[in-house]
Amino acid sequence: MGGVSLTVGADRASDPSRRRGGVPLWFVAAVAGCIWAIARRDFGAEGYFVPWLGSAVVLLGLSPALVRDLRRRHGQAVRPIPFVPLIGVIFAVYYGLPVLISDRVTGLQLEAEVWSIHKALSLALIGWAAVLAGYLVSALSVRRVRPLNVDWDPARARRLALLLIPIGLVAAGAHRLVDLPPSIAQPMRLASSLLPVGIGIAILQGRRGQISRGIYLFAWLVLVPTWLAMELSGGLLGAVVVGGLLVCMLIWGTGGRIPLWLFVVGAITIISLRAGARDYRRMMNNDEHLLASNPIERAGQLVALSFSAMPNQGMGERFEKIADRFSQLVPFAYVIERTPAAIPHWGGETYASLPSTFIPRFLWPDKPVKDVGQRFGHRYGIIDASDHSTSINLPQLVECYANFGAIGVLLGMFTLGAGYRFLDQLLNGVAASDASVLVAAVVFSSMANIETDLSMVFGLVLQTLVVVFIVLRLAQRDPEGSRLPNQSLQPQSGSAVVGAGGGA
């Protein structure tokens, strides 16, 4: 997947040896795969166009990655972190790929009528087209936005990382294992976000040769696995994906590359873990005494549950199970079938908590608890009325439709695309310093969680950003200090690029 797995960075983009034209092989393979799938899929006469629409969603989702790869091949500068191409790939996998894998499409163990799947694919196609339109149309207005380019003193940042990592480890362990009141749990969760910040500083300085090789290897071989295992112990695989993406973005942001096979292995691993995640969360809610007291051991228990839950089935049935675990298409179609025929539109209710995301809970002890996942599950009968512990993700595309229908998809996704463009311009300049790369990785990795409602994602981003900026302020270089050559503070003016997916 060109914009995701191939070389990233302005330094490589300007390499004359890489300036070659033509459509990249990975996109040709994607087109061929879609044609092969169209010929094999059968959704009946009513669903004749379903695989065609699924292929259109996949290829349009890959279009920002294609544009990025073509720009890079022609020696044009591209943004360090492939933010929008990555979102496009995730969107294609969630909404287009399921109907190309199997004739029996499910999601969250739900099934939907063919007509509603057809409509969901049509709206998904419109939704992603609206994201790209919002990204492009907003280009002129955001050109005047000066990229945020913070800087740090390497020695101060190094000392700070040595302080943040143990604090973050302790806070993360307490947050995962101790049942804290909300007024304390929120500050503890924010303190746990110091762990990836400290690890991020170590990775960035290791890639710049500013710390010893031994410490750099320790960060990769011990700290990163420990952190991801602690995230996994919470039973929420989305947090593990966000953590993995943050690490990838640190590499991309410093001109590195990540092989495609590693993404394939990571995707298969996450999909496999989803087999036991539901049972694990049920144990957390009802039989926590069966779980280990150590977060690392808990992560091992989730892995064991996932392996035991893997069905002994043929390849075709296994593909159906895989599609069920990552598909957001059928839940979308399920909502379309019932809205507004049986269940009225929400009318913006799920966005009502957006203003309160600016206020941390320790400053507002009686702040209402966000329970969109519970309300969504109960409203549409996905979870039992007596179940007050299970939370169902409300994807942002589905959220737009559940609130305002098709017009909500068009306008909501257009606005989201404009927001992506603003963030790209603000945080993802070609000349970004290492500190700026860290900020961008924190924001973009969280924003990539498109299967969660907007207020939840936005709230976590805002609160984490406050912590990150306070940390970077402590590591800031003295005004009279000299800068390293690779940490320019010069703003990237006029760096926004107009194009399908933009130079993203």
Side-chain angles (χ1 to χ4, degrees):
M1 299 179 185
V4 174
S5 59
L6 298 182
T7 305
V8 176
D11 56 334
R12 298 182 184 269
S14 59
D15 183 354
S17 66
R18 301 186 66 83
R19 298 182 186 181
R20 55 187 186 275
V23 179
L25 181 60
W26 65 265
F27 191 77
V28 174
V31 173
C34 288
I35 294 173
W36 178 83
I38 289 171
R40 292 179 60 85
R41 299 281 70 86
D42 182 9
F43 290 90
E46 187 182 8
Y48 175 79
F49 288 105
V50 163
W52 290 89
L53 285 169
S55 297
V57 172
V58 167
L59 296 179
L60 189 63
L62 296 178
S63 63
L66 173 63
V67 171
R68 178 189 177 82
D69 204 352
L70 291 174
R71 290 180 58 82
R72 183 181 55 80
R73 286 165 179 260
H74 288 85
Q76 301 178 38
V78 294
R79 298 185 185 277
I81 298 176
F83 172 46
V84 174
L86 180 64
I87 298 291
V89 171
I90 295 171
F91 193 92
V93 170
Y94 280 170
Y95 294 101
L97 192 59
V99 296
L100 303 182
I101 290 179
S102 172
D103 296 333
R104 182 178 177 273
V105 184
T106 60
L108 295 177
Q109 299 180 339
L110 302 172
E111 294 194 30
E113 301 289 339
V114 172
W115 70 266
S116 62
I117 293 175
H118 186 287
K119 185 173 181 179
L121 284 167
S122 301
L123 287 173
L125 189 63
I126 292 171
W128 184 247
V131 168
L132 296 181
Y135 189 88
L136 296 175
V137 170
S138 63
L140 295 177
S141 61
V142 302
R143 279 186 183 275
R144 299 178 181 178
V145 176
R146 292 170 61 88
L148 179 67
N149 228 346
V150 294
D151 200 5
W152 64 32
D153 177 82
R156 289 183 179 178
R158 187 160 51 250
R159 290 192 296 268
L160 195 58
L162 294 175
L163 178 64
L164 297 180
I165 290 171
I167 293 176
L169 281 170
V170 172
H175 174 62
R176 294 296 181 200
L177 298 178
V178 182
D179 188 14
L180 300 170
S183 59
I184 299 177
Q186 184 69 4
M188 194 63 69
R189 190 200 66 79
L190 289 176
S192 68
S193 66
L194 296 175
L195 177 58
V197 173
I199 294 174
I201 293 173
I203 291 175
L204 289 169
Q205 292 204 331
R207 290 184 58 77
R208 299 301 192 193
Q210 296 168 358
I211 59 175
S212 69
R213 183 171 179 81
I215 295 177
Y216 185 49
L217 289 176
F218 180 78
W220 275 113
L221 300 179
V222 177
L223 293 179
V224 170
T226 300
W227 167 43
L228 294 181
M230 294 183 78
E231 294 293 328
L232 185 61
S233 71
L236 299 176
L237 299 182
V240 181
V241 173
V242 168
L245 288 178
L246 190 151
V247 173
C248 290
M249 290 177 182
L250 295 176
I251 297 173
W252 287 326
T254 50
R257 62 183 302 175
I258 302 172
L260 177 60
W261 65 264
L262 194 57
F263 280 96
V264 174
V265 170
I268 292 174
T269 300
I270 291 297
I271 290 170
S272 300
L273 288 175
R274 295 193 70 168
R278 182 169 297 182
D279 289 338
Y280 178 83
R281 288 194 294 269
R282 189 178 296 117
M283 289 175 63
M284 288 182 64
N285 294 324
N286 302 320
D287 301 293
E288 193 171 9
H289 64 282
L290 298 177
L291 297 177
S293 58
N294 186 304
I296 309 301
E297 293 179 10
R298 286 194 175 199
Q301 288 179 294
L302 194 157
V303 172
L305 280 173
S306 299
F307 274 107
S308 64
M310 288 182 180
N312 184 20
Q313 298 171 327
M315 189 59 67
E317 293 174 297
R318 190 161 297 180
F319 274 133
E320 289 180 7
K321 286 290 184 181
I322 290 173
D324 178 85
R325 288 168 192 158
F326 67 73
S327 171
Q328 302 298 326
L329 178 66
V330 171
F332 188 21
Y334 186 83
V335 169
I336 288 173
E337 287 180 5
R338 289 154 178 77
T339 312
I343 301 171
H345 290 297
W346 246 325
E349 185 178 336
T350 66
Y351 301 115
S353 61
L354 268 172
S356 67
T357 59
F358 292 93
I359 307 173
R361 187 171 296 278
F362 68 89
L363 294 179
W364 183 5
D366 297 327
K367 178 179 174 180
V369 177
K370 283 188 61 62
D371 59 349
V372 172
Q374 265 274 309
R375 286 189 290 139
F376 173 56
H378 288 307
R379 184 180 181 90
Y380 285 91
I382 302 174
I383 56 178
D384 190 83
S386 61
D387 186 346
H388 298 289
S389 59
T390 304
S391 182
I392 303 295
N393 283 336
L394 176 58
Q396 290 160 23
L397 176 65
V398 182
E399 184 180 20
C400 289
Y401 185 86
N403 277 284
F404 301 111
I407 190 66
V409 170
L410 183 62
L411 297 181
M413 299 301 280
F414 181 92
T415 304
L416 194 60
Y420 288 163
R421 187 60 183 242
F422 174 78
L423 290 174
D424 239 353
Q425 178 69 9
L426 180 67
L427 303 175
N428 206 15
V430 174
S433 67
D434 286 349
S436 298
V437 167
L438 180 59
V439 175
V442 168
V443 173
F444 291 162
S445 59
S446 296
M447 293 296 292
N449 189 15
I450 63 173
E451 64 175 306
T452 301
D453 62 280
L454 187 62
S455 60
M456 175 68 77
V457 172
F458 191 61
L460 290 176
V461 168
L462 283 177
Q463 293 175 19
T464 305
L465 268 180
V466 171
V467 175
V468 173
F469 275 115
I470 292 174
V471 168
L472 293 181
R473 181 69 178 175
L474 296 174
Q476 191 173 22
R477 184 188 299 276
D478 291 330
E480 66 276 8
S482 59
R483 298 190 188 99
L484 293 176
N486 58 16
Q487 290 183 317
S488 171
L489 278 176
Q490 295 301 317
Q492 174 74 14
S493 59
S495 61
V497 181
V498 178

